[in-house]
Amino acid sequence: MPADQPPNNLPSATLPEANVNLQLGRADDLRAEVFFTIVPPMAIPAGTRLSLDATLTGPESTRATTRPVRLPIRTVSKQTADGTPQVTGTVILTEPAYWTPEVPMLYRIRGELIAEDGAIARLNTTVGLRRFGVRGHSLWLEGRRWVLRGCDSSGLAAIPQREQEPAGHHGMAQVIGLGPDGLATASSTAPSWQQFLEEADRHGQPLLICLDPATPVTLARSTIMALTRHPAVVMVVLPVELLTAAASCKPPAGTLLL
């Protein structure tokens, strides 16, 4: 679909925003299969039929430009997890743009989550595709060895807008500890978690997120899955009390290291 045509499914600002979890399927330099699990922001009766009317646009970056695309997200399955109706959609990207600290490419999802009586939630969020993992005894990011040379543990703060090379280019990461409430909103004097994570995505700052041992296992699972759409989060460090959460989240979390 041409990118210069105006979108016809902009989400209504009056609708609550749905949560988006991302899973990268088969991916190489020429093609990437991306899955999105949409979680309604409110209680939905069991058996409710859900579908998507949404598009993926991009990529966009603070350091590079390329011709954008706009593709419809196809509904592929409707499922229920922990009694909560969900819907999964997919899109196939040709010549995908992957996120790196040097060139932090992002895509945007816009649209609506549809129930039997009409739209119930809006989708308006950014996501990033990142190929990251372990090969031998080394970390690899986008086909290159990535050495974690240092960490900044100063805590939640605004991510500076870097005009030059990001710290992540040199193997520097920021370590952030989450309390037992998971991705709770920060105080009024600090940016919210969502703002903080989105700034890290936008400016190429790798993050290591440490979960609190007192975090309930179910909340740890939902927190890990919520972090999957933020390519800046390269690792989540779990205490031994939460290893069961890691076991159940690893397949859908994809390239997020636990």
Side-chain angles (χ1 to χ4, degrees), residues 34-212:
V34 190
F35 296 93
F36 307 100
T37 299
I38 314 300
V39 183
M42 74 289 286
I44 301 294
T48 301
R49 296 172 60 87
L50 299 175
S51 61
L52 295 173
D53 179 16
T55 57
L56 184 76
T57 60
E60 57 190 48
S61 175
T62 56
R63 297 195 188 92
T65 58
T66 186
R67 180 171 174 79
V69 298
R70 182 163 60 91
L71 299 170
I73 298 176
R74 181 170 57 92
T75 302
V76 293
S77 68
K78 307 170 184 65
Q79 57 185 339
T80 300
D82 300 327
T84 302
Q86 299 178 346
V87 61
T88 299
T90 187
V91 68
I92 303 293
L93 284 167
T94 56
E95 298 184 353
Y98 295 100
W99 185 96
T100 66
E102 300 92 333
V103 186
M105 288 290 195
L106 298 172
Y107 291 88
R108 180 169 291 278
I109 298 173
R110 286 191 176 95
E112 294 177 334
L113 177 63
I114 310 296
E116 296 165 358
D117 296 328
I120 59 171
R122 63 188 174 96
L123 306 173
N124 187 14
T125 189
T126 57
V127 297
L129 312 180
R130 184 200 58 239
R131 294 184 294 181
F132 180 62
V134 178
R135 188 184 304 172
H137 298 287
S138 300
L139 296 172
W140 286 74
L141 175 63
E142 273 307 296
R144 294 189 301 169
R145 187 167 175 264
W146 187 68
V147 179
L148 183 59
R149 301 188 184 279
C151 297
D152 175 8
S153 58
S154 57
L156 184 66
I159 296 290
Q161 296 187 10
R162 298 177 175 85
E163 299 299 332
Q164 305 300 322
E165 291 181 335
H169 176 63
H170 304 290
M172 293 292 292
Q174 189 164 352
V175 180
I176 303 295
L178 280 181
D181 294 332
L183 292 172
T185 303
S187 68
S188 59
T189 59
S192 71
W193 275 113
Q194 181 170 338
Q195 292 173 322
F196 178 81
L197 293 169
E198 289 177 352
E199 285 299 297
D201 292 339
R202 197 164 17 250
H203 298 292
Q205 175 59 65
L207 301 176
L208 275 64
I209 304 294
C210 301
L211 297 192
D212 191 289

